[in-house]
Amino acid sequence: MSDEPENSLASKAAVIAGAAIGSAAIAAALLFVKRRKARANEKPPHPEQAPETD
């Protein structure tokens, strides 16, 4: 008999899936921060360009 458990392939797949999810989460966080910084640099519209309200 082998010293390795029978589900070693399943555990490897779980680790790979966890790494993929973690990478996606990091990518999403970086995109969010980048978008937030871009919006912070935008200047608000001037009162002359503001839409009319009642």
Side-chain angles (χ1 to χ4, degrees):
M1 291 200 163
S2 171
D3 290 336
E4 293 183 30
E6 291 180 23
N7 62 354
S8 64
L9 184 60
S11 64
K12 288 180 184 178
V15 169
I16 291 171
I21 292 171
S23 297
I26 291 171
L30 290 174
L31 288 172
F32 176 75
V33 169
K34 182 179 176 183
R35 191 178 90 200
R36 226 176 138 176
K37 282 185 179 181
R39 284 189 176 181
N41 292 337
E42 291 179 6
K43 293 181 181 179
H46 294 287
E48 301 87 35
Q49 299 171 348
E52 285 190 29
T53 57
D54 289 336

